[in-house]
């Protein structure tokens, strides 16, 4: 579904960037997108130009997103990333240049409304210093693995903003139990979904360990804090690796503060699960005592 509302003044910088990158006078008329609501209260509209719409549709399918409008939402716009160099140069201050952050990625600060670009071999992410909006160029043609890696990397910028709002991206799964949220967190190999959720609607956090029998017992906040930070780093490690040392240090500090708040507000449990048992009964028993 196309955006219904006309761009507002504070969004003009995003539309101007899209015009310069794409060379299209009214790129908004070409966009199709889906709505994404995060547990931190933020509302996103994930859209795309036609050339890369199949990748955004794959993302929408994985996250169970529904078509919607961009009105009132933060924007994340995907487009084909084979941008001619002369268009990129229009955005660059004369004294600016690409600054290598490491051997795989470089960064550019533009003269146009403070946009910053991250660039690697298969995508370029533009984000504004004063706007939450994101513009993601996928450098086509993309292999299946590079396409999914590009989407995963782009989502890191949403996770980063979620941290600033008190959220915490985690390697786990959020499920509903009797109207309350239950967070199932696993170490690498026990689960593959990442959720970002505040603590207001969570009834409990369960750290999963595969076992021969089902068992659940309370976890001390100090132990839960360590496990939460590990689960968050699994999600954010790819982004932290691309940051300079000061940025990475600041992100880890916010991650630690948010994790501390979470484990002091929500009870945590160690959940041992078997392949043939009924571990959800252990969860119900634990929550009954909360």
């Amino acid at each position: 579904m196309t955006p219904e509302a006309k761009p507002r003044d504070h969004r003009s910088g995003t539309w101007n960037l899209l015009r310069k990158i794409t060379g299209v006078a009214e790129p908004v008329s070409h966009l199709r997108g889906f709505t994404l609501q995060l547990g931190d209260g933020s509302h996103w509209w994930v859209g795309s130009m036609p050339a890369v719409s199949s990748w955004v549709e794959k993302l929408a399918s994985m996250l169970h997103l529904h078509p919607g409008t961009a009105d009132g939402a933060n924007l994340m716009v995907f487009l084909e990333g084979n941008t001619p160099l002369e268009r990129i140069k229009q955005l660059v201050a004369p004294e600016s240049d690409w600054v290598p952050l490491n051997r795989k990625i470089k960064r550019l600060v533009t003269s146009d409304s403070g946009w910053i670009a991250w660039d690697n071999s298969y995508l370029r992410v533009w984000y504004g210093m004063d706007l939450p909006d994101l513009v993601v160029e996928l450098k086509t043609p993309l292999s299946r693995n590079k396409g999914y890696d590009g989407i995963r990397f782009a989502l890191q910028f949403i996770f980063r903003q979620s941290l600033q709002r008190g959220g915490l991206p985690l390697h786990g799964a959020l499920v509903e139990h009797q109207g309350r949220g239950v967070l199932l967190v696993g170490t690498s190999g026990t689960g593959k979904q990442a959720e970002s959720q505040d603590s207001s609607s969570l009834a409990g956090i369960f750290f999963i360990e595969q076992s021969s029998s089902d068992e659940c017992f309370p976890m001390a906040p100090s132990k839960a804090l360590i496990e939460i930070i590990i689960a968050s780093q699994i999600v954010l490690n790819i982004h932290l690796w691309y940051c300079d040392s000061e940025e990475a240090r600041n992100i880890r500090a916010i991650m630690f503060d948010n994790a501390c708040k979470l484990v002091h507000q929500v009870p945590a449990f160690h959940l041992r699960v078997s392949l043939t048992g009924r571990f959800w009964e252990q969860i119900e028993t634990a929550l009954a005592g909360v």
Side-chain angles (χ1 to χ4, degrees), residues 43-91:
H43 178 209
W44 289 84
W45 186 79
V46 184
S48 66
M49 296 291 279
V52 295
S53 61
S54 62
W55 286 108
V56 173
E57 288 166 2
K58 289 183 176 71
L59 173 63
S61 176
M62 288 185 289
L63 297 181
H64 304 288
L65 306 182
H66 299 288
T69 68
D71 189 36
N74 303 328
L75 299 182
M76 186 178 203
V77 179
F78 287 82
L79 50 110
E80 190 174 19
N82 301 320
T83 306
L85 184 60
E86 57 269 20
R87 287 206 191 117
I88 298 296
K89 288 181 178 178
Q90 294 175 11
L91 301 168

Side-chain angles (χ1 to χ4, degrees), residues 133-197:
D133 297 347
L134 302 166
V135 176
V136 183
E137 296 182 74
L138 296 175
K139 298 181 181 180
T140 57
L142 283 171
S143 67
R144 183 174 182 272
N145 288 342
K146 286 297 184 184
Y148 285 120
D149 284 347
I151 289 174
R152 180 187 176 195
F153 180 76
L155 288 174
Q156 302 286 309
F157 289 85
I158 290 182
F159 297 155
R160 180 172 175 171
Q161 292 188 31
S162 182
L163 280 173
Q164 299 289 343
R165 289 186 288 267
L168 194 64
L170 295 171
H171 182 77
L174 182 66
V175 298
E176 183 181 346
H177 175 72
Q178 296 180 352
R180 296 188 299 174
V182 175
L183 193 58
L184 305 177
V185 181
T187 56
S188 183
T190 59
K192 292 300 178 187
Q193 277 191 305
E195 297 284 349
S196 180
Q197 175 71 26

Side-chain angles (χ1 to χ4, degrees), residues 18-276:
L18 282 171
R19 291 186 189 101
K20 291 182 178 181
I21 292 176
T22 63
V24 177
E26 293 298 333
V28 64
S29 64
H30 297 267
L31 297 174
R32 303 291 185 274
F34 303 83
T35 57
L36 170 64
Q37 184 76 41
L38 295 184
D40 62 14
S42 62
H43 178 209
W44 289 84
W45 186 79
V46 184
S48 66
M49 296 291 279
V52 295
S53 61
S54 62
W55 286 108
V56 173
E57 288 166 2
K58 289 183 176 71
L59 173 63
S61 176
M62 288 185 289
L63 297 181
H64 304 288
L65 306 182
H66 299 288
T69 68
D71 189 36
N74 303 328
L75 299 182
M76 186 178 203
V77 179
F78 287 82
L79 50 110
E80 190 174 19
N82 301 320
T83 306
L85 184 60
E86 57 269 20
R87 287 206 191 117
I88 298 296
K89 288 181 178 178
Q90 294 175 11
L91 301 168
V92 182
E95 69 278 6
S96 297
D97 200 359
W98 291 99
V99 177
L101 296 180
N102 55 44
R103 62 187 177 86
K104 287 190 176 182
I105 197 165
K106 51 186 183 256
R107 184 172 60 189
L108 173 72
V109 179
T110 77
S111 60
D112 193 343
S113 302
W115 285 97
I116 299 173
W118 288 45
D119 189 278
N120 67 14
S121 61
Y122 51 88
L123 89 164
R124 181 182 297 123
V125 179
W126 300 86
Y127 65 98
M129 299 176 68
D130 300 318
L131 281 176
D133 297 347
L134 302 166
V135 176
V136 183
E137 296 182 74
L138 296 175
K139 298 181 181 180
T140 57
L142 283 171
S143 67
R144 183 174 182 272
N145 288 342
K146 286 297 184 184
Y148 285 120
D149 284 347
I151 289 174
R152 180 187 176 195
F153 180 76
L155 288 174
Q156 302 286 309
F157 289 85
I158 290 182
F159 297 155
R160 180 172 175 171
Q161 292 188 31
S162 182
L163 280 173
Q164 299 289 343
R165 289 186 288 267
L168 194 64
L170 295 171
H171 182 77
L174 182 66
V175 298
E176 183 181 346
H177 175 72
Q178 296 180 352
R180 296 188 299 174
V182 175
L183 193 58
L184 305 177
V185 181
T187 56
S188 183
T190 59
K192 292 300 178 187
Q193 277 191 305
E195 297 284 349
S196 180
Q197 175 71 26
D198 65 26
S199 61
S200 60
S201 61
L202 288 178
I205 308 170
F206 294 82
F207 295 92
I208 301 174
E209 176 190 355
Q210 202 170 80
S211 177
S212 59
S213 61
D214 297 326
E215 185 180 6
C216 184
F217 50 89
M219 180 180 287
S222 57
K223 174 65 174 174
L225 176 62
I226 294 172
E227 296 295 336
I228 281 288
I229 290 174
I230 291 172
S232 189
Q233 284 183 328
I234 290 173
V235 177
L236 289 167
N237 260 346
I238 185 172
H239 187 73
L240 291 169
W241 190 78
Y242 284 136
C243 292
D244 60 36
S245 57
E246 182 178 357
E247 284 180 308
R249 184 164 52 249
N250 290 338
I251 291 172
R252 288 192 175 96
I254 297 172
M255 185 192 308
F256 180 81
D257 288 343
N258 293 354
C260 287
K261 294 175 183 176
L262 181 62
V263 299
H264 282 95
Q265 293 172 358
V266 183
F269 303 88
H270 191 155
L271 178 64
R272 292 176 177 164
V273 301
S274 66
L275 297 178
T276 58

